[in-house]
Amino acid sequence: MKKRTVKNLLIVLASLLGLAAAAFFAFLGINTHRLKTCAHESWDNGVCLTCGYVCGHDWEDGACIHCGMVCDHKWENGICSICRIPCPHQWKHGTCTVCGMVCSHEQYKNGICFACGEVCSHEWYDGVCTVCGMVCQHVQHDMDGFCTSCGEKQLHHYVNGACVCGAQPIVYTHALPHEFFDMCSEQGSVQVVNYSAPLYAAQSVTVSKKMSVYLPYGYSEDKKYNVLVMIHGASGSDGDWMDNIIDTEHGTAVCMRNLYDYMIQQRIIEPLIIVSPYTDSYVPGGGFMDTGPEQFAQEVKAIILPYIVDHYSTYAENGSLEELQAARAHFGIGGCSNGALYVERAGMAENLGVFSNFVCLSGFSYVRDVVKSLESQDLSVSYLYAGAGTADAQKDFVIDGYEYIVEHSEKLTEGENAHIEIVTGSHTWDTWAALFFNAAQLLFQSE
Ligand SMILES: [Zn+2]
Ligand SMILES: [Zn+2]
Ligand SMILES: [Zn+2]
Ligand SMILES: [Zn+2]
Ligand SMILES: [Zn+2]
Ligand SMILES: [Zn+2]
Ligand SMILES: [Zn+2]
Ligand SMILES: [Zn+2]
């Protein structure tokens, strides 16, 4: 049993060895034969010159690692369909000069295509390129105000009376031309706001008051607006700076607010909020009482401006005095006739801390207090615009008052941050409309 088993096992082992040896030699035999027969030492176009063997090609970097043949690339979408290498693109005007691929300009950065480096030829709409998405910075504009890049109308920025482009403010020295007053297609809105204020003579008594607030067309909480407080004249009301007719000559019912609409639409001024308080109070028990410039000085700082800041989008974060002071370059106060006295008292003399733009039309007073205020505080004036009509009974008061304060204050320089203009006209809204037009372009230009 044992012997036979061993014998059988040896037979099996011997035959297995035999098979393995045969396979080994067979394998060796082929290789030695090939090596002996041809080493494929010289190739021509992938064919061995010695034995005619056709190379199966293994490509690396566009050349075959066996036969050294260089791929005669056939490009498909920027990749060689033979050797699979990507085209090393050489772009010229958005087309690759190597593979002929046309760049789809999928991603731009600062107006330059990420892939091909082509500069976008920009198709502007509303200051944004519809091709590359670039937002125009409106770096330069021509004297007509058009951006030299995107062509959008820009506002001139007048420093010392002229814009860097060379343009000067549009000035009217007589009633505004009729064509200004076709009803504007982009109309702002007017809201009447009621508020209460102390009857200052008796602080415990509260009176109800109102003001009209003009919001420009397209008013948005996402933007910030300058605020201009405009005061009516004696026996006027809050509606005067909104609805008073200014085109008396032609008899058309065109009012102040249409002038604001027009100037904003034509990009002559930036959209702004115009606030016109009614300076009279309804006194308990009946009747009206003029607030008076002294009391109004407290009211505009403590009630009106905080209300506007808290309810509309302005440059101040909130109605606190600190915020109002920080945003003073964006607050202005103006008025006509008796309203001009409010500007001088409640603006320049008492509230230089919260206002830095002033418009005094057909009225001037409190000159010593104004000078004292200007000289005693470390606060600059963005702009003071004074004016009257040639046939205006207030003309000389305005000229004298203006000249006095400019002469006595270091803070004001005619032609730089101050200007006086006497236009053809009398003590009327035609005059004030023209003066407003001239003045509004110069306000809010500092900072
Ligand atoms: Zn060969
Ligand atoms: Zn090859
Ligand atoms: Zn190739
Ligand atoms: Zn290419
Ligand atoms: Zn491109
Ligand atoms: Zn573009
Ligand atoms: Zn532009
Ligand atoms: Zn300009």
Side-chain angles (χ1 to χ4, degrees):
M1 267 289 261
K2 223 179 179 181
K3 268 183 189 173
R4 195 178 281 174
T5 318
V6 171
K7 196 179 176 184
N8 285 347
L9 197 69
L10 281 171
I11 290 165
V12 172
L13 273 172
S15 50
L16 280 173
L17 267 172
L19 278 169
F24 178 67
F25 285 120
F27 171 71
L28 257 186
I30 288 162
N31 278 282
T32 34
H33 171 73
R34 274 185 91 182
L35 284 168
K36 268 178 195 162
T37 45
C38 187
H40 306 315
E41 270 163 357
S42 47
W43 298 89
D44 181 33
N45 248 334
V47 178
C48 175
L49 284 172
T50 316
C51 70
Y53 173 76
V54 178
C55 180
H57 298 317
D58 279 318
W59 301 105
E60 215 177 280
D61 296 331
C64 175
I65 54 170
H66 307 300
C67 70
M69 187 171 152
V70 176
C71 178
D72 186 18
H73 306 307
K74 270 177 105 177
W75 300 109
E76 270 172 33
N77 289 325
I79 290 168
C80 175
S81 60
I82 301 164
C83 73
R84 311 305 304 167
I85 69 159
C87 174
H89 297 315
Q90 286 187 12
W91 299 104
K92 201 176 172 187
H93 305 308
T95 302
C96 177
T97 55
V98 180
C99 72
M101 190 169 164
V102 176
C103 182
S104 55
H105 306 315
E106 261 167 42
Q107 220 192 330
Y108 281 95
K109 195 185 176 191
N110 297 327
I112 294 166
C113 174
F114 231 66
C116 74
E118 176 93 334
V119 177
C120 179
S121 54
H122 297 317
E123 287 183 28
W124 298 106
Y125 182 80
D126 254 353
V128 179
C129 177
T130 55
V131 180
C132 72
M134 191 167 161
V135 177
C136 185
Q137 297 301 307
H138 311 309
V139 179
Q140 270 187 314
H141 59 259
D142 62 22
M143 278 182 71
D144 294 323
F146 294 103
C147 173
T148 49
S149 298
C150 74
E152 194 179 278
K153 183 83 156 71
Q154 298 306 303
L155 284 162
H156 294 296
H157 184 84
Y158 301 111
V159 178
N160 296 343
C163 181
V164 283
C165 73
Q168 292 184 340
I170 307 165
V171 175
Y172 279 94
T173 53
H174 49 76
L176 295 172
H178 187 236
E179 58 265 27
F180 277 29
F181 304 123
D182 295 331
M183 199 53 84
C184 188
S185 60
E186 295 184 347
Q187 293 184 29
S189 61
V190 173
Q191 305 177 347
V192 176
V193 172
N194 294 297
Y195 64 98
S196 29
L199 180 65
Y200 294 94
Q203 288 284 338
S204 58
V205 180
T206 296
V207 289
S208 67
K209 310 205 67 174
K210 62 170 181 161
M211 56 184 165
S212 288
V213 180
Y214 168 88
L215 299 179
Y217 174 84
Y219 171 84
S220 160
E221 288 289 326
D222 298 333
K223 296 176 188 162
K224 289 179 174 178
Y225 297 90
N226 294 318
V227 177
L228 182 58
V229 177
M230 292 303 290
I231 316 290
H232 60 82
S235 75
S237 82
D238 60 299
D240 289 7
W241 279 101
M242 303 295 155
D243 298 321
N244 264 19
I245 310 296
I246 49 175
D247 190 24
T248 49
E249 226 180 278
H250 299 84
T252 46
V254 167
C255 50
M256 285 306 296
R257 51 189 281 199
N258 194 63
L259 177 61
Y260 315 147
D261 293 339
Y262 175 86
M263 293 183 79
I264 291 165
Q265 188 188 39
Q266 298 296 314
R267 308 270 304 138
I268 296 168
I269 56 170
E270 221 176 305
L272 80 171
I273 296 171
I274 296 176
V275 180
S276 191
Y278 184 34
T279 59
D280 285 1
S281 309
Y282 299 102
V283 178
F288 294 101
M289 200 179 110
D290 184 24
T291 310
E294 287 78 8
Q295 296 178 1
F296 187 76
Q298 300 172 52
E299 192 170 308
V300 74
K301 180 169 71 180
I303 300 172
I304 293 174
L305 275 186
Y307 181 93
I308 296 299
V309 165
D310 287 339
H311 289 80
Y312 303 99
S313 191
T314 69
Y315 284 88
E317 286 295 313
N318 56 58
S320 71
L321 188 57
E322 295 71 34
E323 274 295 319
L324 297 181
Q325 286 167 337
R328 65 185 285 275
H330 301 282
F331 294 126
I333 182 166
C336 58
S337 193
N338 191 50
L341 308 191
Y342 278 71
V343 178
E344 290 128 21
R345 177 89 255 164
M348 288 189 283
E350 303 286 338
N351 283 322
L352 201 56
V354 292
F355 290 109
S356 80
N357 298 273
F358 307 99
V359 182
C360 302
L361 308 179
S362 300
F364 225 103
S365 192
Y366 308 112
V367 290
R368 282 184 180 79
D369 294 326
V370 169
V371 169
K372 198 175 149 197
S373 162
L374 289 169
E375 293 310 284
S376 64
Q377 297 173 84
D378 187 21
L379 295 165
S380 64
V381 172
S382 297
Y383 214 92
L384 163 64
Y385 196 97
T390 46
D392 192 333
Q394 291 293 315
K395 183 182 75 177
D396 292 341
F397 292 108
V398 175
I399 295 172
D400 292 349
Y402 174 83
E403 285 179 350
Y404 181 89
I405 64 167
V406 170
E407 192 182 314
H408 288 85
S409 173
E410 298 283 318
K411 305 276 175 65
L412 299 168
T413 307
E414 163 65 39
E416 285 182 17
N417 68 340
H419 186 54
I420 183 167
E421 196 128 40
I422 306 299
V423 303
T424 309
S426 51
H427 201 76
T428 64
W429 284 91
D430 287 358
T431 297
W432 300 325
L435 287 168
F436 180 90
F437 181 92
N438 298 343
Q441 298 166 72
L442 296 160
L443 307 179
F444 310 114
Q445 302 285 303
S446 68
E447 252 195 4

